[in-house]
Amino acid sequence: MAKRDYYEVLGVGKTASVDEIKSAYRKLALKYHPDKNQGNKEAEEKFKEINEAYEILSDTQKKQQYDTFGHDAMGAGGGNPFGGGGNPFGGQGGYTQYSGDMGDIFGDIFGDIFSGQRGARGGSRQRTGEDLRYDIEVSYLDAMKGAEVSLNIPKKSVCDVCHGTGSKDGSRPKQCSTCKGSGQVRYSQGFFSFNQECPKCHGKGSVIENPCTVCRGEGTVKKQQTIKVRIPPGIDEGTSLKVAGSGNAGSNGAPAGDLYVVIHMKRDPHFRREGDNLHTEAKVSFSQAAVGAEFDVPVVEGSVKIKVPASTQPGTTLRVKEQGFPKLGRSDRRGDLYVKISVEVPKSMNDVQKKALFEYAKSMGEIPKDAVYQNDNFFKKIFGK
């Protein structure tokens, strides 16, 4: 029987990309998988056929040869990439040692479902410690000047009794006799084979015959540890600081993970931060806004003098250059300070002040020129208040 065109088998065109080929293969492999079609010889043959097609079309060099010479490029036997038919992985069922040398077509498509723990084949498999995250709040002052903080973090640390070996007598772990140090075993059932974590060593590739009574063979114990972290000037909300090697200790002497300290800015009642710029508000009197003034405005690290021009309107924002936060990693550059002017209206005035305001209003044409200030009631009558 003539062999079908590989593109036809996968249902893709000759110009299909690698991702399109992979996607088509995945759908068909799931449809005709032996586990879903037990006893169905037709499905088993289709499964072999789509695997053969994918083996060729997913390989750039083989695909180029196939596009040029067709099935003749695959040799006289038609090019079954598994060779010989039947179970492509060998084995008669049960657990077998995983050699770590054979390419796993299923691993490329389905990841850990079929291929076990990828990237950890061969040798004793020490498990690197997990990374940790710790969130802290930082004040505007600390973010402005920089600071050093001490964090008390519960984490896995190297066992003081066995010094991380996990063994009671200090001996090193021995190679697992089941997986021969690979950490994986291959399980075969009929046509289909896949990798699983070794049930004896739980993926480590080694076993401890006399485990430490304190850490129970893990080589780590959980305890509180103080870690100092430097907060650089200019740090902002959401910044993550990496402290290498300060995460959980790895099992049985494996490297520790990292600690990631995530920064959150404390709220400040007087200031608002936008990037490297600082925003605040200053209250001035009516007369200061009208004729201009110069005064000190509080900032995070003290105060700064600003000048309010004459005839400044309420809501006006004044910019003071380089009085904001330093730029992270560039202490020689800073953001700006923005001061929003709020004009205060006096809540109470004496008779002299009211008379003066009356004369001002008359000069502005708000009051008839022949009007004469008599008392507070007359002032209210003129303005309707």
Side-chain angles (χ1 to χ4, degrees):
M1 182 177 177
K3 188 178 290 292
R4 283 207 300 161
D5 179 80
Y6 287 146
Y7 291 102
E8 180 185 343
V9 171
L10 296 183
V12 297
K14 290 189 175 183
T15 59
S17 66
V18 174
D19 288 339
E20 289 172 333
I21 292 172
K22 184 180 293 187
S23 177
Y25 168 75
R26 185 179 187 278
K27 291 178 182 178
L28 292 171
L30 288 173
K31 180 179 179 180
Y32 294 107
H33 196 283
D35 279 1
K36 297 178 65 175
N37 300 275
Q38 294 185 9
N40 188 334
K41 291 293 183 181
E42 183 180 353
E44 183 175 326
E45 290 302 318
K46 284 185 176 292
F47 189 67
K48 292 179 184 178
E49 187 180 40
I50 61 176
N51 277 303
E52 179 179 329
Y54 178 74
E55 169 71 8
I56 302 304
L57 299 185
S58 64
D59 185 294
T60 304
Q61 185 175 357
K62 291 179 181 179
K63 181 178 182 296
Q64 185 177 6
Q65 292 176 344
Y66 178 74
D67 288 344
T68 304
F69 302 105
H71 290 297
D72 291 339
M74 303 300 109
N80 185 343
F82 299 124
N87 187 342
F89 301 109
Q92 302 298 320
Y95 291 114
T96 58
Q97 180 184 350
Y98 178 57
S99 66
D101 297 327
M102 184 173 63
D104 191 347
I105 190 173
F106 299 116
D108 181 47
I109 299 296
F110 301 103
D112 292 345
I113 297 175
F114 298 136
S115 65
Q117 296 181 4
R118 295 175 59 80
R121 298 170 178 169
S124 180
R125 309 202 307 169
Q126 293 178 312
R127 295 183 178 179
T128 301
E130 302 91 348
D131 293 337
L132 295 178
R133 168 177 171 153
Y134 197 86
D135 294 63
I136 64 171
E137 281 193 327
V138 174
S139 69
Y140 274 29
L141 182 60
D142 285 344
M144 183 76 77
K145 301 177 65 175
E148 186 176 77
V149 296
S150 295
L151 308 178
N152 293 316
I153 300 177
K155 58 188 290 289
K156 291 181 181 179
S157 301
V158 174
C159 176
D160 294 329
V161 176
C162 68
H163 305 291
T165 65
S167 178
K168 185 177 181 179
D169 56 8
S171 62
R172 304 299 300 177
K174 293 185 177 180
Q175 186 183 76
C176 175
S177 59
T178 299
C179 65
K180 300 298 187 293
S182 71
Q184 294 184 348
V185 290
R186 171 149 290 189
Y187 185 73
S188 301
Q189 184 176 11
F191 170 77
F192 182 59
S193 297
F194 57 93
N195 303 320
Q196 285 185 331
E197 182 182 89
C198 176
K200 183 175 181 180
C201 67
H202 304 291
K204 295 180 180 179
S206 60
V207 293
I208 296 173
E209 296 182 338
N210 191 16
C212 172
T213 56
V214 174
C215 67
R216 299 182 179 180
E218 286 296 321
T220 62
V221 292
K222 197 161 189 176
K223 59 183 179 181
Q224 201 88 357
Q225 186 171 341
T226 301
I227 299 174
K228 291 186 177 181
V229 179
R230 178 67 186 171
I231 306 298
I235 201 162
D236 201 357
E237 173 72 29
T239 303
S240 180
L241 300 176
K242 177 183 176 180
V243 186
S246 290
N248 280 334
S251 62
N252 306 122
D258 300 323
L259 170 66
Y260 292 88
V261 180
V262 181
I263 302 299
H264 301 284
M265 298 299 301
K266 289 182 180 178
R267 289 183 177 273
D268 191 289
H270 306 294
F271 305 103
R272 176 172 55 86
R273 181 177 182 177
E274 289 186 2
D276 296 324
N277 298 322
L278 187 64
H279 294 256
T280 189
E281 186 173 310
K283 295 180 179 180
V284 300
S285 67
F286 169 77
S287 59
Q288 288 175 319
V291 302
E294 188 176 76
F295 55 92
D296 291 330
V297 173
V299 290
V300 175
E301 295 182 88
S303 64
V304 61
K305 190 177 293 293
I306 68 169
K307 182 178 289 186
V308 179
S311 303
T312 293
Q313 300 300 306
T316 297
T317 298
L318 304 177
R319 175 189 176 194
V320 185
K321 292 183 178 181
E322 298 186 346
Q323 288 297 326
F325 284 86
K327 294 185 180 295
L328 187 61
R330 290 290 305 273
S331 57
D332 59 323
R333 299 181 61 187
R334 299 173 69 99
D336 300 324
L337 170 67
Y338 290 88
V339 183
K340 184 177 180 180
I341 300 300
S342 173
V343 179
E344 285 190 306
V345 176
K347 295 181 179 179
S348 62
M349 294 185 292
N350 58 35
D351 197 59
V352 173
Q353 292 167 335
K354 290 178 179 179
K355 186 176 180 180
L357 186 58
F358 178 88
E359 294 298 330
Y360 168 77
K362 188 163 63 171
S363 70
M364 295 296 294
E366 298 173 1
I367 298 175
K369 291 184 178 181
D370 57 351
V372 178
Y373 180 77
Q374 297 177 0
N375 53 40
D376 187 24
N377 292 331
F378 179 79
F379 189 76
K380 292 180 179 179
K381 183 179 179 180
I382 293 294
F383 287 97
K385 296 182 179 180

